[in-house]
Amino acid sequence: MAHPSDTRYLVAPGGTLRGRLRVPGDKSISHRSIMLAAIAEGETRISGFLEGADALATLNAFRRMGVRIEGPDGGEVRVQGVGMRGLQSPDGPLDMGNSGTSMRLLSGLLAGQAFPVTLVGDGSLSKRPMRRVTEPLAQMGARIGTTEGGTAPLDLAPVARLTGLDYTMPVASAQVKSSLLLAGLYAEGETCVTEPAPTRDHTERMLTAFGYSVRRHAAKVCLTGGGRLTGCRLTIPADISSAAFFLVGASIAPGSDLILEGVGINPTRVGVINILRAMGGDIELMDRRTAGGEPVADIRVRHAPLRGIRIPVDQVPLAIDELPVLFIAAACAEGETVLTGAEELRVKESDRIQVMADGLAKLGVCAEPLPDGMRIFGGALGSTGDADTIDAPSIDAHGDHRIAMSFAIAALRASGPVAIRDCANVETSFPGFVELAGSAGLSIQATRG
Ligand code: S3P
């Protein structure tokens, strides 16, 4: 049953996505832009910053540590960097909201500071595993307290110094890699992280843009502590993880033809394009260019009949946040799609395997959750029913932004309306989703309690 304070989506079935649109700035890059600008020397000007709750949690945390930040105003932010040792003790716990990236990256960046700090988060974030960062950080000399279960709140005690570490990650995680590299800036000697599979490399690219030397040898990335960052100008591309909803939507909705402008196409993020193309998707990259050290393109996507595939395991880290909406593509494809090697989906903002399987079942799709993935049999999508009262049957997004938007997109091929509850957190990554999707052709209405 819906709670009266829910944000719910009611999406009418069918429709076609057409036109040109620009989705908001990249969330991963927005977080990093504030973090590095804050500890750089001099001013950094950022454009294309994502004004969503997650990136704003990072921004507010640095304000509370004494960093002067103007904006965001239309995606423009100016940060007056305080240098490596210029952060000040905040006057209380720093609230990371729903944002795993803020908490894990900040635990690294703050591990070597001379003041204590506590990082807290919302109900979902407080259940997510933090030992993956606190344990290697402890090996560097950090003193970080967690709950018994290894979750937030994280209590960081001041330490005299950190020492470099040569660490091989057990899971392919850009958040863990970035956390350790950020701690490595404050460590004596060299910090190296080896990844079991390639993960997003925005931290490495951006450190280079701030003039900090980062070395990569195959799967190993290293830096030496004690250097300095110099403020710069950054342009943040549109977020491919937000574009993904439209890439899938236009692929599944007959008659669709959409251009998505200025989307980041970093090779460590393009799994969604690779997977959709392998399923038969019609996706064209136009006007390729570079912005702020990141490759960017306009993406044209047209409707195409999709077929089920076995998703290559090497694509999983490259599409980790796009897998929920790719399940919708699979549900609309001919034949079976199988995903394995994606157990990480169970510890995201929700258990994305179970929550997607439950929602797909509500739409009559045959989806079998696996411990590390999903098996989906493509076919017709049903509906949650056509009642639009607060207690009408609905799909539960469990407060997970990407689940809510995935099922909104599914309505393009549903037999009747799709109602989704607990959608407020779409604001964490995609402010304006309802309006933008509406302008492209989705008949979506939000009701806020
Ligand atoms: C992110 C890394 C990924 C991703 C998350 C953002 C980042 O998490 O799912 O949304 O910005 O580094 P993991 O490192 O847990 O895979």
PDB file of all heavy atoms in Angstrom, residues 130-155:
ATOM      1  N   MET A 130      30.248  -0.829   3.836  1.00  0.00           N
ATOM      2  CA  MET A 130      31.311   0.179   3.852  1.00  0.00           C
ATOM      3  C   MET A 130      32.690  -0.425   4.140  1.00  0.00           C
ATOM      4  O   MET A 130      33.702   0.247   3.952  1.00  0.00           O
ATOM      5  CB  MET A 130      30.994   1.261   4.899  1.00  0.00           C
ATOM      6  CG  MET A 130      29.802   2.115   4.518  1.00  0.00           C
ATOM      7  SD  MET A 130      30.094   3.062   2.979  1.00  0.00           S
ATOM      8  CE  MET A 130      28.450   3.124   2.284  1.00  0.00           C
ATOM      9  N   ARG A 131      32.720  -1.714   4.551  1.00  0.00           N
ATOM     10  CA  ARG A 131      34.041  -2.311   4.862  1.00  0.00           C
ATOM     11  C   ARG A 131      34.924  -2.369   3.636  1.00  0.00           C
ATOM     12  O   ARG A 131      36.141  -2.376   3.743  1.00  0.00           O
ATOM     13  CB  ARG A 131      33.875  -3.726   5.428  1.00  0.00           C
ATOM     14  CG  ARG A 131      33.386  -3.720   6.839  1.00  0.00           C
ATOM     15  CD  ARG A 131      33.684  -5.014   7.575  1.00  0.00           C
ATOM     16  NE  ARG A 131      33.196  -4.893   8.925  1.00  0.00           N
ATOM     17  CZ  ARG A 131      32.193  -5.592   9.435  1.00  0.00           C
ATOM     18  NH1 ARG A 131      31.571  -6.506   8.687  1.00  0.00           N
ATOM     19  NH2 ARG A 131      31.805  -5.380  10.669  1.00  0.00           N
ATOM     20  N   ARG A 132      34.298  -2.404   2.470  1.00  0.00           N
ATOM     21  CA  ARG A 132      35.101  -2.440   1.244  1.00  0.00           C
ATOM     22  C   ARG A 132      36.022  -1.217   1.132  1.00  0.00           C
ATOM     23  O   ARG A 132      37.033  -1.281   0.462  1.00  0.00           O
ATOM     24  CB  ARG A 132      34.195  -2.553   0.010  1.00  0.00           C
ATOM     25  CG  ARG A 132      33.153  -1.470  -0.071  1.00  0.00           C
ATOM     26  CD  ARG A 132      32.239  -1.605  -1.271  1.00  0.00           C
ATOM     27  NE  ARG A 132      31.508  -2.858  -1.310  1.00  0.00           N
ATOM     28  CZ  ARG A 132      30.907  -3.355  -2.376  1.00  0.00           C
ATOM     29  NH1 ARG A 132      30.947  -2.687  -3.506  1.00  0.00           N
ATOM     30  NH2 ARG A 132      30.269  -4.485  -2.340  1.00  0.00           N
ATOM     31  N   VAL A 133      35.641  -0.112   1.786  1.00  0.00           N
ATOM     32  CA  VAL A 133      36.567   1.031   1.840  1.00  0.00           C
ATOM     33  C   VAL A 133      37.261   1.136   3.197  1.00  0.00           C
ATOM     34  O   VAL A 133      38.452   1.439   3.250  1.00  0.00           O
ATOM     35  CB  VAL A 133      35.909   2.390   1.487  1.00  0.00           C
ATOM     36  CG1 VAL A 133      35.612   2.492   0.008  1.00  0.00           C
ATOM     37  CG2 VAL A 133      34.688   2.691   2.299  1.00  0.00           C
ATOM     38  N   THR A 134      36.545   0.866   4.287  1.00  0.00           N
ATOM     39  CA  THR A 134      37.179   1.121   5.595  1.00  0.00           C
ATOM     40  C   THR A 134      38.337   0.149   5.854  1.00  0.00           C
ATOM     41  O   THR A 134      39.321   0.521   6.487  1.00  0.00           O
ATOM     42  CB  THR A 134      36.160   1.052   6.753  1.00  0.00           C
ATOM     43  OG1 THR A 134      35.550  -0.241   6.773  1.00  0.00           O
ATOM     44  CG2 THR A 134      35.084   2.112   6.608  1.00  0.00           C
ATOM     45  N   GLU A 135      38.239  -1.081   5.338  1.00  0.00           N
ATOM     46  CA  GLU A 135      39.332  -2.036   5.611  1.00  0.00           C
ATOM     47  C   GLU A 135      40.634  -1.650   4.905  1.00  0.00           C
ATOM     48  O   GLU A 135      41.676  -1.539   5.574  1.00  0.00           O
ATOM     49  CB  GLU A 135      38.882  -3.468   5.275  1.00  0.00           C
ATOM     50  CG  GLU A 135      37.974  -3.995   6.366  1.00  0.00           C
ATOM     51  CD  GLU A 135      37.454  -5.402   6.157  1.00  0.00           C
ATOM     52  OE1 GLU A 135      37.743  -5.996   5.093  1.00  0.00           O
ATOM     53  OE2 GLU A 135      36.761  -5.902   7.061  1.00  0.00           O
ATOM     54  N   PRO A 136      40.615  -1.427   3.587  1.00  0.00           N
ATOM     55  CA  PRO A 136      41.890  -0.989   2.983  1.00  0.00           C
ATOM     56  C   PRO A 136      42.361   0.366   3.519  1.00  0.00           C
ATOM     57  O   PRO A 136      43.566   0.591   3.663  1.00  0.00           O
ATOM     58  CB  PRO A 136      41.588  -0.933   1.482  1.00  0.00           C
ATOM     59  CG  PRO A 136      40.109  -1.027   1.337  1.00  0.00           C
ATOM     60  CD  PRO A 136      39.599  -1.693   2.569  1.00  0.00           C
ATOM     61  N   LEU A 137      41.416   1.271   3.846  1.00  0.00           N
ATOM     62  CA  LEU A 137      41.848   2.564   4.408  1.00  0.00           C
ATOM     63  C   LEU A 137      42.541   2.348   5.759  1.00  0.00           C
ATOM     64  O   LEU A 137      43.536   3.008   6.065  1.00  0.00           O
ATOM     65  CB  LEU A 137      40.653   3.515   4.553  1.00  0.00           C
ATOM     66  CG  LEU A 137      40.090   4.093   3.243  1.00  0.00           C
ATOM     67  CD1 LEU A 137      38.774   4.839   3.487  1.00  0.00           C
ATOM     68  CD2 LEU A 137      41.106   5.023   2.556  1.00  0.00           C
ATOM     69  N   ALA A 138      42.041   1.378   6.544  1.00  0.00           N
ATOM     70  CA  ALA A 138      42.693   1.074   7.826  1.00  0.00           C
ATOM     71  C   ALA A 138      44.117   0.568   7.576  1.00  0.00           C
ATOM     72  O   ALA A 138      45.046   0.892   8.331  1.00  0.00           O
ATOM     73  CB  ALA A 138      41.876   0.045   8.602  1.00  0.00           C
ATOM     74  N   GLN A 139      44.298  -0.190   6.491  1.00  0.00           N
ATOM     75  CA  GLN A 139      45.659  -0.659   6.159  1.00  0.00           C
ATOM     76  C   GLN A 139      46.590   0.517   5.839  1.00  0.00           C
ATOM     77  O   GLN A 139      47.797   0.389   5.946  1.00  0.00           O
ATOM     78  CB  GLN A 139      45.628  -1.605   4.967  1.00  0.00           C
ATOM     79  CG  GLN A 139      44.984  -2.962   5.279  1.00  0.00           C
ATOM     80  CD  GLN A 139      44.889  -3.826   4.015  1.00  0.00           C
ATOM     81  OE1 GLN A 139      45.800  -3.876   3.207  1.00  0.00           O
ATOM     82  NE2 GLN A 139      43.769  -4.518   3.842  1.00  0.00           N
ATOM     83  N   MET A 140      46.010   1.636   5.442  1.00  0.00           N
ATOM     84  CA  MET A 140      46.828   2.836   5.166  1.00  0.00           C
ATOM     85  C   MET A 140      47.062   3.650   6.440  1.00  0.00           C
ATOM     86  O   MET A 140      47.731   4.689   6.396  1.00  0.00           O
ATOM     87  CB  MET A 140      46.128   3.724   4.119  1.00  0.00           C
ATOM     88  CG  MET A 140      45.959   3.052   2.785  1.00  0.00           C
ATOM     89  SD  MET A 140      45.024   4.075   1.592  1.00  0.00           S
ATOM     90  CE  MET A 140      46.273   5.260   1.091  1.00  0.00           C
ATOM     91  N   GLY A 141      46.438   3.221   7.555  1.00  0.00           N
ATOM     92  CA  GLY A 141      46.618   3.934   8.819  1.00  0.00           C
ATOM     93  C   GLY A 141      45.407   4.727   9.249  1.00  0.00           C
ATOM     94  O   GLY A 141      45.431   5.387  10.287  1.00  0.00           O
ATOM     95  N   ALA A 142      44.314   4.682   8.467  1.00  0.00           N
ATOM     96  CA  ALA A 142      43.105   5.428   8.838  1.00  0.00           C
ATOM     97  C   ALA A 142      42.447   4.773  10.047  1.00  0.00           C
ATOM     98  O   ALA A 142      42.574   3.559  10.259  1.00  0.00           O
ATOM     99  CB  ALA A 142      42.134   5.464   7.668  1.00  0.00           C
ATOM    100  N   ARG A 143      41.742   5.592  10.823  1.00  0.00           N
ATOM    101  CA  ARG A 143      40.976   5.051  11.967  1.00  0.00           C
ATOM    102  C   ARG A 143      39.512   5.407  11.739  1.00  0.00           C
ATOM    103  O   ARG A 143      39.090   6.540  11.931  1.00  0.00           O
ATOM    104  CB  ARG A 143      41.498   5.646  13.275  1.00  0.00           C
ATOM    105  CG  ARG A 143      42.948   5.195  13.557  1.00  0.00           C
ATOM    106  CD  ARG A 143      43.368   5.502  14.966  1.00  0.00           C
ATOM    107  NE  ARG A 143      43.398   6.934  15.209  1.00  0.00           N
ATOM    108  CZ  ARG A 143      43.006   7.501  16.347  1.00  0.00           C
ATOM    109  NH1 ARG A 143      42.550   6.769  17.349  1.00  0.00           N
ATOM    110  NH2 ARG A 143      43.055   8.813  16.490  1.00  0.00           N
ATOM    111  N   ILE A 144      38.750   4.414  11.263  1.00  0.00           N
ATOM    112  CA  ILE A 144      37.344   4.663  10.896  1.00  0.00           C
ATOM    113  C   ILE A 144      36.454   3.650  11.607  1.00  0.00           C
ATOM    114  O   ILE A 144      36.610   2.440  11.437  1.00  0.00           O
ATOM    115  CB  ILE A 144      37.137   4.533   9.366  1.00  0.00           C
ATOM    116  CG1 ILE A 144      38.120   5.432   8.613  1.00  0.00           C
ATOM    117  CG2 ILE A 144      35.696   4.879   8.999  1.00  0.00           C
ATOM    118  CD1 ILE A 144      37.981   5.401   7.106  1.00  0.00           C
ATOM    119  N   GLY A 145      35.528   4.174  12.407  1.00  0.00           N
ATOM    120  CA  GLY A 145      34.580   3.306  13.099  1.00  0.00           C
ATOM    121  C   GLY A 145      33.320   3.133  12.257  1.00  0.00           C
ATOM    122  O   GLY A 145      32.880   4.081  11.590  1.00  0.00           O
ATOM    123  N   THR A 146      32.772   1.909  12.255  1.00  0.00           N
ATOM    124  CA  THR A 146      31.498   1.620  11.587  1.00  0.00           C
ATOM    125  C   THR A 146      30.581   0.956  12.603  1.00  0.00           C
ATOM    126  O   THR A 146      30.998   0.673  13.722  1.00  0.00           O
ATOM    127  CB  THR A 146      31.679   0.626  10.418  1.00  0.00           C
ATOM    128  OG1 THR A 146      32.061  -0.652  10.972  1.00  0.00           O
ATOM    129  CG2 THR A 146      32.745   1.076   9.428  1.00  0.00           C
ATOM    130  N   THR A 147      29.360   0.641  12.209  1.00  0.00           N
ATOM    131  CA  THR A 147      28.524  -0.201  13.059  1.00  0.00           C
ATOM    132  C   THR A 147      29.106  -1.612  13.039  1.00  0.00           C
ATOM    133  O   THR A 147      30.002  -1.918  12.238  1.00  0.00           O
ATOM    134  CB  THR A 147      27.091  -0.283  12.507  1.00  0.00           C
ATOM    135  OG1 THR A 147      27.158  -0.959  11.241  1.00  0.00           O
ATOM    136  CG2 THR A 147      26.474   1.098  12.319  1.00  0.00           C
ATOM    137  N   GLU A 148      28.571  -2.485  13.880  1.00  0.00           N
ATOM    138  CA  GLU A 148      29.047  -3.872  13.914  1.00  0.00           C
ATOM    139  C   GLU A 148      28.910  -4.550  12.563  1.00  0.00           C
ATOM    140  O   GLU A 148      29.704  -5.402  12.188  1.00  0.00           O
ATOM    141  CB  GLU A 148      28.242  -4.656  14.954  1.00  0.00           C
ATOM    142  CG  GLU A 148      29.088  -5.140  16.088  1.00  0.00           C
ATOM    143  CD  GLU A 148      28.232  -5.749  17.169  1.00  0.00           C
ATOM    144  OE1 GLU A 148      27.472  -6.693  16.848  1.00  0.00           O
ATOM    145  OE2 GLU A 148      28.321  -5.262  18.312  1.00  0.00           O
ATOM    146  N   GLY A 149      27.891  -4.144  11.832  1.00  0.00           N
ATOM    147  CA  GLY A 149      27.653  -4.751  10.520  1.00  0.00           C
ATOM    148  C   GLY A 149      28.497  -4.134   9.412  1.00  0.00           C
ATOM    149  O   GLY A 149      28.330  -4.477   8.236  1.00  0.00           O
ATOM    150  N   GLY A 150      29.385  -3.199   9.763  1.00  0.00           N
ATOM    151  CA  GLY A 150      30.245  -2.587   8.746  1.00  0.00           C
ATOM    152  C   GLY A 150      29.537  -1.525   7.928  1.00  0.00           C
ATOM    153  O   GLY A 150      29.896  -1.278   6.770  1.00  0.00           O
ATOM    154  N   THR A 151      28.536  -0.882   8.529  1.00  0.00           N
ATOM    155  CA  THR A 151      27.770   0.141   7.810  1.00  0.00           C
ATOM    156  C   THR A 151      27.942   1.506   8.480  1.00  0.00           C
ATOM    157  O   THR A 151      28.527   1.615   9.551  1.00  0.00           O
ATOM    158  CB  THR A 151      26.266  -0.231   7.808  1.00  0.00           C
ATOM    159  OG1 THR A 151      25.864  -0.440   9.159  1.00  0.00           O
ATOM    160  CG2 THR A 151      25.998  -1.491   6.994  1.00  0.00           C
ATOM    161  N   ALA A 152      27.404   2.561   7.805  1.00  0.00           N
ATOM    162  CA  ALA A 152      27.428   3.911   8.373  1.00  0.00           C
ATOM    163  C   ALA A 152      26.514   3.952   9.597  1.00  0.00           C
ATOM    164  O   ALA A 152      25.627   3.112   9.722  1.00  0.00           O
ATOM    165  CB  ALA A 152      26.948   4.897   7.318  1.00  0.00           C
ATOM    166  N   PRO A 153      26.696   4.951  10.472  1.00  0.00           N
ATOM    167  CA  PRO A 153      27.610   6.092  10.418  1.00  0.00           C
ATOM    168  C   PRO A 153      29.091   5.681  10.435  1.00  0.00           C
ATOM    169  O   PRO A 153      29.468   4.707  11.106  1.00  0.00           O
ATOM    170  CB  PRO A 153      27.268   6.887  11.676  1.00  0.00           C
ATOM    171  CG  PRO A 153      26.017   6.349  12.227  1.00  0.00           C
ATOM    172  CD  PRO A 153      25.806   5.009  11.661  1.00  0.00           C
ATOM    173  N   LEU A 154      29.906   6.465   9.723  1.00  0.00           N
ATOM    174  CA  LEU A 154      31.350   6.274   9.735  1.00  0.00           C
ATOM    175  C   LEU A 154      31.966   7.374  10.589  1.00  0.00           C
ATOM    176  O   LEU A 154      31.744   8.559  10.335  1.00  0.00           O
ATOM    177  CB  LEU A 154      31.921   6.359   8.311  1.00  0.00           C
ATOM    178  CG  LEU A 154      31.368   5.379   7.273  1.00  0.00           C
ATOM    179  CD1 LEU A 154      32.106   5.548   5.944  1.00  0.00           C
ATOM    180  CD2 LEU A 154      31.465   3.941   7.746  1.00  0.00           C
ATOM    181  N   ASP A 155      32.727   6.951  11.611  1.00  0.00           N
ATOM    182  CA  ASP A 155      33.410   7.923  12.488  1.00  0.00           C
ATOM    183  C   ASP A 155      34.878   7.933  12.150  1.00  0.00           C
ATOM    184  O   ASP A 155      35.582   6.947  12.423  1.00  0.00           O
ATOM    185  CB  ASP A 155      33.220   7.526  13.958  1.00  0.00           C
ATOM    186  CG  ASP A 155      31.802   7.798  14.424  1.00  0.00           C
ATOM    187  OD1 ASP A 155      31.325   8.926  14.197  1.00  0.00           O
ATOM    188  OD2 ASP A 155      31.171   6.870  14.982  1.00  0.00           O
TER     189      ASP A 155
END
